[in-house]
Amino acid sequence: MIAQQVIIMIGVAFLVGAVVMTLIRLARGPSTLDRVVAADVIIAVLIVALAMEAAINHHATSIPIILVLSLLGFAGSLSMARFVADRDQARKWDVSTSAPRRSERSPEGT
Amino acid sequence: MNPVLDIIGALFLLFGAMLCFAASVGLVRFPDVITRMHAATKPQTLGLLLVVIGLAFSLQSVRPLGMLVLVAVLQLLTAPVAGHMVGRTAYRTGHLDSDRLTPDELAEDLAAAGFHLDRGDGAEGIEDREARE
């Protein structure tokens, strides 16, 4: 029991360091996509922390929260990626003369 | 509660936490979005699998196993989709250093199809974007 708690506490120390460095990346950017990636890592850290708490106290209450967090990270990064793509796309694509004319914003957003 | 299984589960959780730490080091040190994604996706799949296995060892009961398997399967299905979308957006908005790419097969295919990404000649790169933001 004591050995389990010692191992978990070492893991908590790793998690604290991870969250601090990820928050540095989340604050500094430089682009929105960097912040999306950093937010995904923070969600992963949260999942590990919830699992550690469940492992120490031997209860299964946190498992639905883990499920919701993983799906939330998926939906969040997906929608943010689509948002950034729609916003930046018209500026970055260039159409050469040999290609068929492509409208400034394609309707399917790809 | 079996203390040996507790310790095995705690070791799995420790490996998951170490993967999170490695991902954060990569996030701080790596230069652009694609390489940061390379670091950040490790705790999302391998780390989550380790955490689920460790939690199954620690709880030592059959009832939460179904939910744990559901978490693992859903994460394995959704993480590649999210990573693909973020990587595609990063490529198309120019958030990568093309000089570091050894093969760039997507650029060759785009050139063959008549498109080219506006990057290099007179286009705004990452530095210009950072300067403007």
Side-chain angles (χ1 to χ4, degrees):
Chain A
M1 194 59 98
I2 297 297
Q4 182 208 18
Q5 289 179 0
V6 168
I7 295 172
I8 294 283
M9 282 308 141
I10 297 172
V12 167
F14 274 114
L15 285 188
V16 170
V19 134
V20 167
M21 280 191 286
T22 310
L23 281 177
I24 290 174
R25 178 51 66 200
L26 194 70
R28 292 180 61 181
S31 71
T32 313
L33 287 171
D34 291 307
R35 298 193 170 96
V36 171
V37 175
D40 271 351
V41 173
I42 284 187
I43 285 179
V45 170
L46 270 179
I47 288 175
V48 178
L50 278 171
M52 282 177 167
E53 189 265 335
I56 282 190
N57 295 328
H58 292 103
H59 67 74
T61 322
S62 320
I63 296 179
I65 309 177
I66 290 177
L67 183 65
V68 169
L69 267 182
S70 68
L71 289 179
L72 194 70
F74 166 66
S77 63
L78 199 71
S79 49
M80 277 306 291
R82 291 304 289 259
F83 170 66
V84 174
D86 278 352
R87 201 183 50 181
D88 285 1
Q89 168 185 337
R91 196 168 62 230
K92 291 303 290 182
W93 280 92
D94 187 26
V95 185
S96 73
T97 52
S98 65
R101 175 61 68 185
R102 183 188 174 103
S103 62
E104 278 200 352
R105 275 187 61 168
S106 62
E108 69 271 16
T110 51
Chain B
M1 292 298 166
N2 189 341
V4 178
L5 288 182
D6 272 346
I7 292 175
I8 292 175
L11 282 176
F12 273 107
L13 289 172
L14 178 64
F15 285 142
M18 288 165 74
L19 274 178
C20 284
F21 186 77
S24 66
V25 172
L27 269 182
V28 173
R29 298 280 301 164
F30 281 166
D32 55 8
V33 177
I34 304 283
T35 47
R36 281 170 196 151
M37 275 178 58
H38 159 65
T41 43
K42 265 71 202 172
Q44 284 177 19
T45 49
L46 177 60
L48 193 102
L49 280 185
L50 288 175
V51 161
V52 163
I53 293 171
L55 200 51
F57 271 116
S58 297
L59 294 179
Q60 297 163 31
S61 90
V62 183
R63 218 178 309 169
L65 279 185
M67 192 77 98
L68 287 176
V69 169
L70 186 67
V71 169
V73 168
L74 277 180
Q75 184 73 9
L76 285 183
L77 284 178
T78 56
V81 180
H84 172 80
M85 289 300 298
V86 175
R88 190 174 76 159
T89 308
Y91 188 90
R92 292 187 173 181
T93 53
H95 286 109
L96 78 165
D97 190 358
S98 349
D99 297 335
R100 290 174 191 269
L101 294 176
T102 316
D104 194 355
E105 289 158 344
L106 182 54
E108 296 167 10
D109 288 347
L110 284 173
F115 296 102
H116 68 274
L117 277 179
D118 200 4
R119 176 188 307 151
D121 47 342
E124 58 171 6
I126 299 177
E127 296 81 14
D128 304 335
R129 184 183 301 273
E130 283 174 2
R132 199 180 62 238
E133 287 176 354

PDB file of all heavy atoms in Angstrom, chain A residues 40-76:
ATOM      1  N   ASP A  40      -4.550  19.647 -25.881  1.00  0.00           N
ATOM      2  CA  ASP A  40      -4.710  18.197 -25.913  1.00  0.00           C
ATOM      3  C   ASP A  40      -3.816  17.521 -24.881  1.00  0.00           C
ATOM      4  O   ASP A  40      -4.227  16.564 -24.222  1.00  0.00           O
ATOM      5  CB  ASP A  40      -4.376  17.675 -27.313  1.00  0.00           C
ATOM      6  CG  ASP A  40      -5.591  17.671 -28.212  1.00  0.00           C
ATOM      7  OD1 ASP A  40      -6.691  17.906 -27.690  1.00  0.00           O
ATOM      8  OD2 ASP A  40      -5.443  17.442 -29.418  1.00  0.00           O
ATOM      9  N   VAL A  41      -2.578  18.013 -24.757  1.00  0.00           N
ATOM     10  CA  VAL A  41      -1.668  17.418 -23.768  1.00  0.00           C
ATOM     11  C   VAL A  41      -2.189  17.660 -22.359  1.00  0.00           C
ATOM     12  O   VAL A  41      -2.100  16.788 -21.490  1.00  0.00           O
ATOM     13  CB  VAL A  41      -0.252  17.968 -23.967  1.00  0.00           C
ATOM     14  CG1 VAL A  41       0.661  17.500 -22.850  1.00  0.00           C
ATOM     15  CG2 VAL A  41       0.292  17.504 -25.284  1.00  0.00           C
ATOM     16  N   ILE A  42      -2.772  18.839 -22.116  1.00  0.00           N
ATOM     17  CA  ILE A  42      -3.309  19.114 -20.778  1.00  0.00           C
ATOM     18  C   ILE A  42      -4.463  18.161 -20.472  1.00  0.00           C
ATOM     19  O   ILE A  42      -4.605  17.673 -19.349  1.00  0.00           O
ATOM     20  CB  ILE A  42      -3.730  20.591 -20.677  1.00  0.00           C
ATOM     21  CG1 ILE A  42      -2.484  21.444 -20.522  1.00  0.00           C
ATOM     22  CG2 ILE A  42      -4.652  20.815 -19.498  1.00  0.00           C
ATOM     23  CD1 ILE A  42      -2.749  22.863 -20.244  1.00  0.00           C
ATOM     24  N   ILE A  43      -5.278  17.857 -21.478  1.00  0.00           N
ATOM     25  CA  ILE A  43      -6.362  16.901 -21.262  1.00  0.00           C
ATOM     26  C   ILE A  43      -5.800  15.514 -20.948  1.00  0.00           C
ATOM     27  O   ILE A  43      -6.313  14.807 -20.071  1.00  0.00           O
ATOM     28  CB  ILE A  43      -7.293  16.885 -22.488  1.00  0.00           C
ATOM     29  CG1 ILE A  43      -8.149  18.148 -22.481  1.00  0.00           C
ATOM     30  CG2 ILE A  43      -8.187  15.673 -22.485  1.00  0.00           C
ATOM     31  CD1 ILE A  43      -9.077  18.251 -23.641  1.00  0.00           C
ATOM     32  N   ALA A  44      -4.718  15.137 -21.634  1.00  0.00           N
ATOM     33  CA  ALA A  44      -4.085  13.841 -21.344  1.00  0.00           C
ATOM     34  C   ALA A  44      -3.569  13.805 -19.913  1.00  0.00           C
ATOM     35  O   ALA A  44      -3.720  12.797 -19.205  1.00  0.00           O
ATOM     36  CB  ALA A  44      -2.953  13.579 -22.334  1.00  0.00           C
ATOM     37  N   VAL A  45      -2.975  14.921 -19.452  1.00  0.00           N
ATOM     38  CA  VAL A  45      -2.480  14.986 -18.072  1.00  0.00           C
ATOM     39  C   VAL A  45      -3.645  14.858 -17.088  1.00  0.00           C
ATOM     40  O   VAL A  45      -3.547  14.160 -16.072  1.00  0.00           O
ATOM     41  CB  VAL A  45      -1.702  16.300 -17.861  1.00  0.00           C
ATOM     42  CG1 VAL A  45      -1.405  16.503 -16.399  1.00  0.00           C
ATOM     43  CG2 VAL A  45      -0.414  16.273 -18.644  1.00  0.00           C
ATOM     44  N   LEU A  46      -4.765  15.514 -17.400  1.00  0.00           N
ATOM     45  CA  LEU A  46      -5.944  15.429 -16.524  1.00  0.00           C
ATOM     46  C   LEU A  46      -6.438  13.991 -16.424  1.00  0.00           C
ATOM     47  O   LEU A  46      -6.817  13.526 -15.334  1.00  0.00           O
ATOM     48  CB  LEU A  46      -7.055  16.310 -17.077  1.00  0.00           C
ATOM     49  CG  LEU A  46      -7.111  17.754 -16.619  1.00  0.00           C
ATOM     50  CD1 LEU A  46      -8.269  18.455 -17.299  1.00  0.00           C
ATOM     51  CD2 LEU A  46      -7.308  17.792 -15.121  1.00  0.00           C
ATOM     52  N   ILE A  47      -6.433  13.278 -17.562  1.00  0.00           N
ATOM     53  CA  ILE A  47      -6.899  11.892 -17.553  1.00  0.00           C
ATOM     54  C   ILE A  47      -6.001  11.043 -16.657  1.00  0.00           C
ATOM     55  O   ILE A  47      -6.483  10.246 -15.845  1.00  0.00           O
ATOM     56  CB  ILE A  47      -6.928  11.351 -18.998  1.00  0.00           C
ATOM     57  CG1 ILE A  47      -8.082  11.993 -19.763  1.00  0.00           C
ATOM     58  CG2 ILE A  47      -7.079   9.849 -19.011  1.00  0.00           C
ATOM     59  CD1 ILE A  47      -8.114  11.625 -21.214  1.00  0.00           C
ATOM     60  N   VAL A  48      -4.670  11.239 -16.793  1.00  0.00           N
ATOM     61  CA  VAL A  48      -3.752  10.461 -15.959  1.00  0.00           C
ATOM     62  C   VAL A  48      -3.960  10.793 -14.483  1.00  0.00           C
ATOM     63  O   VAL A  48      -3.951   9.901 -13.622  1.00  0.00           O
ATOM     64  CB  VAL A  48      -2.294  10.721 -16.391  1.00  0.00           C
ATOM     65  CG1 VAL A  48      -1.344   9.949 -15.510  1.00  0.00           C
ATOM     66  CG2 VAL A  48      -2.088  10.323 -17.826  1.00  0.00           C
ATOM     67  N   ALA A  49      -4.194  12.076 -14.164  1.00  0.00           N
ATOM     68  CA  ALA A  49      -4.388  12.459 -12.766  1.00  0.00           C
ATOM     69  C   ALA A  49      -5.660  11.838 -12.202  1.00  0.00           C
ATOM     70  O   ALA A  49      -5.663  11.316 -11.074  1.00  0.00           O
ATOM     71  CB  ALA A  49      -4.444  13.983 -12.660  1.00  0.00           C
ATOM     72  N   LEU A  50      -6.741  11.855 -12.972  1.00  0.00           N
ATOM     73  CA  LEU A  50      -7.984  11.231 -12.508  1.00  0.00           C
ATOM     74  C   LEU A  50      -7.792   9.731 -12.282  1.00  0.00           C
ATOM     75  O   LEU A  50      -8.293   9.174 -11.286  1.00  0.00           O
ATOM     76  CB  LEU A  50      -9.084  11.460 -13.542  1.00  0.00           C
ATOM     77  CG  LEU A  50      -9.792  12.806 -13.495  1.00  0.00           C
ATOM     78  CD1 LEU A  50     -10.690  12.947 -14.701  1.00  0.00           C
ATOM     79  CD2 LEU A  50     -10.601  12.903 -12.235  1.00  0.00           C
ATOM     80  N   ALA A  51      -7.053   9.081 -13.201  1.00  0.00           N
ATOM     81  CA  ALA A  51      -6.829   7.649 -13.048  1.00  0.00           C
ATOM     82  C   ALA A  51      -5.993   7.354 -11.817  1.00  0.00           C
ATOM     83  O   ALA A  51      -6.221   6.361 -11.123  1.00  0.00           O
ATOM     84  CB  ALA A  51      -6.149   7.098 -14.303  1.00  0.00           C
ATOM     85  N   MET A  52      -5.006   8.225 -11.517  1.00  0.00           N
ATOM     86  CA  MET A  52      -4.193   8.013 -10.313  1.00  0.00           C
ATOM     87  C   MET A  52      -5.027   8.133  -9.052  1.00  0.00           C
ATOM     88  O   MET A  52      -4.899   7.334  -8.117  1.00  0.00           O
ATOM     89  CB  MET A  52      -3.061   9.036 -10.286  1.00  0.00           C
ATOM     90  CG  MET A  52      -1.923   8.684 -11.203  1.00  0.00           C
ATOM     91  SD  MET A  52      -0.693   9.970 -11.192  1.00  0.00           S
ATOM     92  CE  MET A  52       0.631   9.113 -11.998  1.00  0.00           C
ATOM     93  N   GLU A  53      -5.914   9.126  -9.036  1.00  0.00           N
ATOM     94  CA  GLU A  53      -6.787   9.280  -7.855  1.00  0.00           C
ATOM     95  C   GLU A  53      -7.685   8.066  -7.697  1.00  0.00           C
ATOM     96  O   GLU A  53      -7.866   7.548  -6.576  1.00  0.00           O
ATOM     97  CB  GLU A  53      -7.598  10.573  -8.024  1.00  0.00           C
ATOM     98  CG  GLU A  53      -8.376  10.970  -6.798  1.00  0.00           C
ATOM     99  CD  GLU A  53      -9.792  10.471  -6.874  1.00  0.00           C
ATOM    100  OE1 GLU A  53     -10.313  10.247  -7.988  1.00  0.00           O
ATOM    101  OE2 GLU A  53     -10.380  10.274  -5.808  1.00  0.00           O
ATOM    102  N   ALA A  54      -8.224   7.562  -8.811  1.00  0.00           N
ATOM    103  CA  ALA A  54      -9.076   6.375  -8.744  1.00  0.00           C
ATOM    104  C   ALA A  54      -8.283   5.157  -8.295  1.00  0.00           C
ATOM    105  O   ALA A  54      -8.810   4.311  -7.567  1.00  0.00           O
ATOM    106  CB  ALA A  54      -9.717   6.118 -10.100  1.00  0.00           C
ATOM    107  N   ALA A  55      -7.013   5.070  -8.693  1.00  0.00           N
ATOM    108  CA  ALA A  55      -6.203   3.910  -8.321  1.00  0.00           C
ATOM    109  C   ALA A  55      -5.867   3.935  -6.841  1.00  0.00           C
ATOM    110  O   ALA A  55      -5.865   2.896  -6.180  1.00  0.00           O
ATOM    111  CB  ALA A  55      -4.925   3.878  -9.157  1.00  0.00           C
ATOM    112  N   ILE A  56      -5.587   5.114  -6.278  1.00  0.00           N
ATOM    113  CA  ILE A  56      -5.249   5.183  -4.854  1.00  0.00           C
ATOM    114  C   ILE A  56      -6.468   4.857  -4.006  1.00  0.00           C
ATOM    115  O   ILE A  56      -6.401   4.079  -3.053  1.00  0.00           O
ATOM    116  CB  ILE A  56      -4.696   6.589  -4.525  1.00  0.00           C
ATOM    117  CG1 ILE A  56      -3.251   6.686  -4.989  1.00  0.00           C
ATOM    118  CG2 ILE A  56      -4.774   6.855  -3.043  1.00  0.00           C
ATOM    119  CD1 ILE A  56      -2.555   7.920  -4.518  1.00  0.00           C
ATOM    120  N   ASN A  57      -7.614   5.446  -4.340  1.00  0.00           N
ATOM    121  CA  ASN A  57      -8.797   5.262  -3.498  1.00  0.00           C
ATOM    122  C   ASN A  57      -9.634   4.049  -3.873  1.00  0.00           C
ATOM    123  O   ASN A  57     -10.660   3.812  -3.243  1.00  0.00           O
ATOM    124  CB  ASN A  57      -9.666   6.528  -3.562  1.00  0.00           C
ATOM    125  CG  ASN A  57      -8.942   7.712  -2.955  1.00  0.00           C
ATOM    126  OD1 ASN A  57      -8.157   7.542  -2.034  1.00  0.00           O
ATOM    127  ND2 ASN A  57      -9.182   8.894  -3.494  1.00  0.00           N
ATOM    128  N   HIS A  58      -9.225   3.318  -4.926  1.00  0.00           N
ATOM    129  CA  HIS A  58      -9.927   2.098  -5.330  1.00  0.00           C
ATOM    130  C   HIS A  58     -11.402   2.327  -5.583  1.00  0.00           C
ATOM    131  O   HIS A  58     -12.261   1.597  -5.102  1.00  0.00           O
ATOM    132  CB  HIS A  58      -9.739   0.983  -4.300  1.00  0.00           C
ATOM    133  CG  HIS A  58      -8.343   0.476  -4.234  1.00  0.00           C
ATOM    134  ND1 HIS A  58      -7.469   0.815  -3.223  1.00  0.00           N
ATOM    135  CD2 HIS A  58      -7.644  -0.329  -5.058  1.00  0.00           C
ATOM    136  CE1 HIS A  58      -6.308   0.243  -3.437  1.00  0.00           C
ATOM    137  NE2 HIS A  58      -6.386  -0.453  -4.547  1.00  0.00           N
ATOM    138  N   HIS A  59     -11.719   3.380  -6.323  1.00  0.00           N
ATOM    139  CA  HIS A  59     -13.111   3.557  -6.730  1.00  0.00           C
ATOM    140  C   HIS A  59     -13.159   3.795  -8.236  1.00  0.00           C
ATOM    141  O   HIS A  59     -12.170   4.223  -8.841  1.00  0.00           O
ATOM    142  CB  HIS A  59     -13.781   4.713  -5.985  1.00  0.00           C
ATOM    143  CG  HIS A  59     -13.232   6.056  -6.318  1.00  0.00           C
ATOM    144  ND1 HIS A  59     -13.487   6.700  -7.504  1.00  0.00           N
ATOM    145  CD2 HIS A  59     -12.410   6.881  -5.627  1.00  0.00           C
ATOM    146  CE1 HIS A  59     -12.863   7.856  -7.519  1.00  0.00           C
ATOM    147  NE2 HIS A  59     -12.192   7.990  -6.402  1.00  0.00           N
ATOM    148  N   ALA A  60     -14.306   3.526  -8.841  1.00  0.00           N
ATOM    149  CA  ALA A  60     -14.446   3.607 -10.296  1.00  0.00           C
ATOM    150  C   ALA A  60     -15.289   4.791 -10.716  1.00  0.00           C
ATOM    151  O   ALA A  60     -15.769   4.836 -11.835  1.00  0.00           O
ATOM    152  CB  ALA A  60     -15.060   2.317 -10.829  1.00  0.00           C
ATOM    153  N   THR A  61     -15.449   5.778  -9.819  1.00  0.00           N
ATOM    154  CA  THR A  61     -16.326   6.903 -10.141  1.00  0.00           C
ATOM    155  C   THR A  61     -15.770   7.757 -11.271  1.00  0.00           C
ATOM    156  O   THR A  61     -16.522   8.371 -12.024  1.00  0.00           O
ATOM    157  CB  THR A  61     -16.519   7.781  -8.896  1.00  0.00           C
ATOM    158  OG1 THR A  61     -16.608   6.924  -7.764  1.00  0.00           O
ATOM    159  CG2 THR A  61     -17.780   8.596  -9.000  1.00  0.00           C
ATOM    160  N   SER A  62     -14.423   7.826 -11.391  1.00  0.00           N
ATOM    161  CA  SER A  62     -13.816   8.751 -12.350  1.00  0.00           C
ATOM    162  C   SER A  62     -13.831   8.231 -13.777  1.00  0.00           C
ATOM    163  O   SER A  62     -13.503   8.987 -14.687  1.00  0.00           O
ATOM    164  CB  SER A  62     -12.366   9.018 -11.963  1.00  0.00           C
ATOM    165  OG  SER A  62     -12.249   9.140 -10.584  1.00  0.00           O
ATOM    166  N   ILE A  63     -14.155   6.959 -13.973  1.00  0.00           N
ATOM    167  CA  ILE A  63     -14.009   6.397 -15.321  1.00  0.00           C
ATOM    168  C   ILE A  63     -14.943   7.056 -16.335  1.00  0.00           C
ATOM    169  O   ILE A  63     -14.505   7.384 -17.444  1.00  0.00           O
ATOM    170  CB  ILE A  63     -14.197   4.870 -15.266  1.00  0.00           C
ATOM    171  CG1 ILE A  63     -13.084   4.267 -14.417  1.00  0.00           C
ATOM    172  CG2 ILE A  63     -14.135   4.277 -16.645  1.00  0.00           C
ATOM    173  CD1 ILE A  63     -13.180   2.790 -14.279  1.00  0.00           C
ATOM    174  N   PRO A  64     -16.216   7.351 -16.013  1.00  0.00           N
ATOM    175  CA  PRO A  64     -17.023   8.100 -16.984  1.00  0.00           C
ATOM    176  C   PRO A  64     -16.476   9.486 -17.271  1.00  0.00           C
ATOM    177  O   PRO A  64     -16.567   9.971 -18.415  1.00  0.00           O
ATOM    178  CB  PRO A  64     -18.396   8.180 -16.311  1.00  0.00           C
ATOM    179  CG  PRO A  64     -18.428   7.044 -15.387  1.00  0.00           C
ATOM    180  CD  PRO A  64     -17.045   6.877 -14.891  1.00  0.00           C
ATOM    181  N   ILE A  65     -15.841  10.111 -16.253  1.00  0.00           N
ATOM    182  CA  ILE A  65     -15.248  11.432 -16.492  1.00  0.00           C
ATOM    183  C   ILE A  65     -14.084  11.308 -17.467  1.00  0.00           C
ATOM    184  O   ILE A  65     -13.876  12.156 -18.333  1.00  0.00           O
ATOM    185  CB  ILE A  65     -14.797  12.060 -15.155  1.00  0.00           C
ATOM    186  CG1 ILE A  65     -15.922  12.011 -14.147  1.00  0.00           C
ATOM    187  CG2 ILE A  65     -14.348  13.479 -15.364  1.00  0.00           C
ATOM    188  CD1 ILE A  65     -15.547  12.532 -12.807  1.00  0.00           C
ATOM    189  N   ILE A  66     -13.309  10.222 -17.345  1.00  0.00           N
ATOM    190  CA  ILE A  66     -12.207   9.990 -18.286  1.00  0.00           C
ATOM    191  C   ILE A  66     -12.746   9.843 -19.698  1.00  0.00           C
ATOM    192  O   ILE A  66     -12.213  10.424 -20.657  1.00  0.00           O
ATOM    193  CB  ILE A  66     -11.419   8.738 -17.852  1.00  0.00           C
ATOM    194  CG1 ILE A  66     -10.643   9.017 -16.559  1.00  0.00           C
ATOM    195  CG2 ILE A  66     -10.471   8.291 -18.935  1.00  0.00           C
ATOM    196  CD1 ILE A  66      -9.917   7.829 -16.026  1.00  0.00           C
ATOM    197  N   LEU A  67     -13.835   9.094 -19.828  1.00  0.00           N
ATOM    198  CA  LEU A  67     -14.457   8.912 -21.154  1.00  0.00           C
ATOM    199  C   LEU A  67     -14.881  10.250 -21.749  1.00  0.00           C
ATOM    200  O   LEU A  67     -14.573  10.567 -22.907  1.00  0.00           O
ATOM    201  CB  LEU A  67     -15.651   7.979 -21.005  1.00  0.00           C
ATOM    202  CG  LEU A  67     -16.409   7.580 -22.263  1.00  0.00           C
ATOM    203  CD1 LEU A  67     -15.516   6.763 -23.150  1.00  0.00           C
ATOM    204  CD2 LEU A  67     -17.646   6.803 -21.905  1.00  0.00           C
ATOM    205  N   VAL A  68     -15.564  11.061 -20.938  1.00  0.00           N
ATOM    206  CA  VAL A  68     -16.044  12.353 -21.436  1.00  0.00           C
ATOM    207  C   VAL A  68     -14.874  13.253 -21.802  1.00  0.00           C
ATOM    208  O   VAL A  68     -14.896  13.948 -22.830  1.00  0.00           O
ATOM    209  CB  VAL A  68     -16.949  13.003 -20.371  1.00  0.00           C
ATOM    210  CG1 VAL A  68     -17.232  14.440 -20.731  1.00  0.00           C
ATOM    211  CG2 VAL A  68     -18.239  12.238 -20.251  1.00  0.00           C
ATOM    212  N   LEU A  69     -13.801  13.229 -20.987  1.00  0.00           N
ATOM    213  CA  LEU A  69     -12.647  14.094 -21.264  1.00  0.00           C
ATOM    214  C   LEU A  69     -11.983  13.707 -22.584  1.00  0.00           C
ATOM    215  O   LEU A  69     -11.606  14.586 -23.366  1.00  0.00           O
ATOM    216  CB  LEU A  69     -11.631  13.975 -20.130  1.00  0.00           C
ATOM    217  CG  LEU A  69     -11.746  14.988 -19.002  1.00  0.00           C
ATOM    218  CD1 LEU A  69     -10.637  14.756 -18.002  1.00  0.00           C
ATOM    219  CD2 LEU A  69     -11.650  16.388 -19.545  1.00  0.00           C
ATOM    220  N   SER A  70     -11.849  12.407 -22.842  1.00  0.00           N
ATOM    221  CA  SER A  70     -11.174  12.019 -24.085  1.00  0.00           C
ATOM    222  C   SER A  70     -12.013  12.425 -25.297  1.00  0.00           C
ATOM    223  O   SER A  70     -11.474  12.913 -26.293  1.00  0.00           O
ATOM    224  CB  SER A  70     -10.893  10.518 -24.086  1.00  0.00           C
ATOM    225  OG  SER A  70     -12.095   9.795 -24.174  1.00  0.00           O
ATOM    226  N   LEU A  71     -13.344  12.264 -25.201  1.00  0.00           N
ATOM    227  CA  LEU A  71     -14.181  12.679 -26.330  1.00  0.00           C
ATOM    228  C   LEU A  71     -14.192  14.190 -26.484  1.00  0.00           C
ATOM    229  O   LEU A  71     -14.250  14.719 -27.603  1.00  0.00           O
ATOM    230  CB  LEU A  71     -15.601  12.146 -26.146  1.00  0.00           C
ATOM    231  CG  LEU A  71     -15.703  10.637 -26.323  1.00  0.00           C
ATOM    232  CD1 LEU A  71     -17.117  10.176 -26.117  1.00  0.00           C
ATOM    233  CD2 LEU A  71     -15.228  10.246 -27.694  1.00  0.00           C
ATOM    234  N   LEU A  72     -14.123  14.903 -25.364  1.00  0.00           N
ATOM    235  CA  LEU A  72     -14.096  16.373 -25.424  1.00  0.00           C
ATOM    236  C   LEU A  72     -12.825  16.867 -26.106  1.00  0.00           C
ATOM    237  O   LEU A  72     -12.865  17.804 -26.926  1.00  0.00           O
ATOM    238  CB  LEU A  72     -14.185  16.923 -23.998  1.00  0.00           C
ATOM    239  CG  LEU A  72     -14.497  18.402 -23.858  1.00  0.00           C
ATOM    240  CD1 LEU A  72     -15.929  18.646 -24.261  1.00  0.00           C
ATOM    241  CD2 LEU A  72     -14.280  18.831 -22.425  1.00  0.00           C
ATOM    242  N   GLY A  73     -11.683  16.208 -25.806  1.00  0.00           N
ATOM    243  CA  GLY A  73     -10.447  16.589 -26.470  1.00  0.00           C
ATOM    244  C   GLY A  73     -10.522  16.362 -27.969  1.00  0.00           C
ATOM    245  O   GLY A  73     -10.066  17.199 -28.760  1.00  0.00           O
ATOM    246  N   PHE A  74     -11.136  15.248 -28.376  1.00  0.00           N
ATOM    247  CA  PHE A  74     -11.295  14.962 -29.808  1.00  0.00           C
ATOM    248  C   PHE A  74     -12.139  16.046 -30.483  1.00  0.00           C
ATOM    249  O   PHE A  74     -11.714  16.650 -31.484  1.00  0.00           O
ATOM    250  CB  PHE A  74     -11.943  13.593 -29.963  1.00  0.00           C
ATOM    251  CG  PHE A  74     -12.461  13.321 -31.338  1.00  0.00           C
ATOM    252  CD1 PHE A  74     -11.589  13.212 -32.406  1.00  0.00           C
ATOM    253  CD2 PHE A  74     -13.812  13.173 -31.566  1.00  0.00           C
ATOM    254  CE1 PHE A  74     -12.058  12.960 -33.665  1.00  0.00           C
ATOM    255  CE2 PHE A  74     -14.288  12.916 -32.819  1.00  0.00           C
ATOM    256  CZ  PHE A  74     -13.408  12.817 -33.875  1.00  0.00           C
ATOM    257  N   ALA A  75     -13.318  16.316 -29.916  1.00  0.00           N
ATOM    258  CA  ALA A  75     -14.205  17.299 -30.553  1.00  0.00           C
ATOM    259  C   ALA A  75     -13.570  18.684 -30.560  1.00  0.00           C
ATOM    260  O   ALA A  75     -13.667  19.422 -31.549  1.00  0.00           O
ATOM    261  CB  ALA A  75     -15.542  17.327 -29.815  1.00  0.00           C
ATOM    262  N   GLY A  76     -12.877  19.036 -29.478  1.00  0.00           N
ATOM    263  CA  GLY A  76     -12.276  20.367 -29.391  1.00  0.00           C
ATOM    264  C   GLY A  76     -11.193  20.581 -30.422  1.00  0.00           C
ATOM    265  O   GLY A  76     -11.209  21.574 -31.161  1.00  0.00           O
TER     266      GLY A  76
END
